[in-house]
Amino acid sequence: MIRRRVIVSGRVQGVFFRSATVSAAEQRGVAGWVRNLPDGTVEAVFEGPPEAVGSMVTWVGHGPDGAAVTGVDVREEIPDGESGFQVRG
């Protein structure tokens, strides 16, 4: 199990980014959460098998139709036993 925290910048709010992230994570069996931040970015935590988490990090690099991702900041963290995937905030 690994855990990654990402901050996604660009046109990522108001384009169903959070709900699409939930669907993509559930399809891959990844736990964690996603939320909008006040500065217009989206923050997400992905926890699960390395290949599945890597797939999610790649996915947020383009996001859903309508998004225009300009950057993804990825940080490694210690897994803390997330279960399920949800929208926060």
Side-chain angles (χ1 to χ4, degrees):
M1 296 289 271
I2 65 169
R3 178 181 174 104
R4 298 292 181 268
R5 181 179 303 266
V6 298
I7 304 290
V8 187
S9 54
R11 190 175 71 234
V12 294
Q13 291 190 13
V15 293
F16 301 100
F17 202 99
R18 292 176 299 163
S19 62
T21 301
V22 170
S23 295
E26 288 175 343
Q27 289 172 1
R28 291 163 175 82
V30 172
W33 50 265
V34 61
R35 67 179 175 178
N36 285 342
L37 294 178
D39 65 0
T41 60
V42 169
E43 178 182 30
V45 166
F46 305 124
E47 192 169 294
E51 287 183 16
V53 171
S55 177
M56 282 306 302
V57 171
T58 299
W59 184 87
V60 297
H62 57 79
D65 291 342
V69 176
T70 58
V72 179
D73 178 35
V74 182
R75 297 191 179 150
E76 293 184 25
E77 295 185 346
I78 297 170
D80 71 356
E82 296 279 350
S83 64
F85 201 92
Q86 64 185 349
V87 173
R88 284 194 178 169

